[in-house]
Amino acid sequence: MHELSLCGAIADVVTRHAEGREVRTIHITIGQLRQIVPDTLVYCWSLFTEGTALAGSRIDVERVPARLACRACGDRQELGATPVFACAVCAGVDLEVVTGEEFLITSLDLSGA
Ligand SMILES: [Zn+2]
């Protein structure tokens, strides 16, 4: 499962930054274009961390909407629920993704930090 491998990567980063301190909440920013279901990620995290030093920590997901910029006319638009990869103004298909591909651990809430 995709989310499960992400949990491994998150755990690596978090463990390094926590330096032995107890981790309460991990704040993660995920772009809309990432094929990640936040609920699934949160669920996988609880399974993945069970019995580890990270057990009991929580993932808090912030979703970033996808924004595209048209290279032809410069129009910027937010991607709706149904992705249409064509410019709403000039119907051009030369679109640049401005936001929506993020996958970042933005901050950690640590116990006693
Ligand atoms: Zn356009």
Side-chain angles (χ1 to χ4, degrees):
M1 189 189 286
H2 181 53
E3 277 80 2
L4 207 54
S5 62
L6 280 174
C7 285
I10 295 167
D12 278 353
V13 173
V14 168
T15 301
R16 237 180 296 133
H17 284 269
E19 295 174 330
R21 289 167 292 183
E22 187 192 334
V23 179
R24 284 180 180 162
T25 310
I26 302 136
H27 299 275
I28 298 181
T29 297
I30 300 176
Q32 188 190 336
L33 296 176
R34 291 284 185 153
Q35 299 299 310
I36 300 168
V37 181
D39 286 350
T40 307
L41 184 64
V42 168
Y43 177 68
C44 282
W45 182 252
S46 66
L47 295 182
F48 186 85
T49 57
E50 207 174 67
T52 75
L54 291 168
S57 64
R58 204 172 66 79
I59 282 185
D60 182 63
V61 176
E62 188 195 345
R63 293 288 265 172
V64 177
R67 286 195 188 82
L68 304 174
C70 175
R71 286 198 178 98
C73 73
D75 184 63
R76 291 201 169 205
Q77 49 206 294
E78 201 162 295
L79 209 60
T82 313
V84 179
F85 287 92
C87 176
V89 175
C90 73
V93 292
D94 191 8
L95 302 175
E96 180 186 359
V97 175
V98 181
T99 64
E101 291 184 323
E102 294 81 357
F103 182 76
L104 302 165
I105 298 171
T106 49
S107 65
L108 299 175
D109 293 344
L110 301 168
S111 178

